[in-house]
Structures are given as structure tokens and as C-alpha cells.
Amino acid sequence: MATVKDVLGAHAYTLARYGVSPDDDLKTAYKRLADKAPHLARFIKEVAGAFL
């Protein structure tokens, strides 16, 4: 499974304020963002494409 850092590069570190580590896999990031920042969860789902 790809990590957030693999997909977003250096931008992955900006998600730390929402409890997402750059080394989290995309499913974990999506689950953490779904409650706190649904707009970012949708973004992760869109850019992740086949990874989710």
C-alpha cells in the first residue's frame, strides 16, 4: 500500500495537523481525515485513485 508521502510528496507533512503521518498508508489517512476534514478525505480519495 502506498503511503501519503508517496502520493503527495513534501505536501504530506501539512496533514500532520489533522493527525495524519506522512508514513501512514492511504486508507488510514482517509479514515482519519473523514471525520476531521472531509474535504481533505475526498481529496485523498481522488488523488489516490486505484490505491484505495
Side-chain angles (χ1 to χ4, degrees), residues 1-48:
M1 171 66 54
T3 65
V4 177
K5 189 170 37 176
D6 292 337
V7 175
L8 298 180
H11 302 289
Y13 293 94
T14 62
L15 298 178
R17 68 175 56 171
Y18 300 104
V20 176
S21 169
D23 296 319
D24 285 343
D25 62 81
L26 294 173
K27 285 185 180 183
T28 302
Y30 178 80
K31 289 176 186 176
R32 288 184 183 167
L33 291 170
D35 292 332
K36 296 179 183 178
H39 62 293
L40 293 174
R42 287 189 302 270
F43 174 73
I44 289 290
K45 187 174 181 180
E46 184 71 28
V47 297

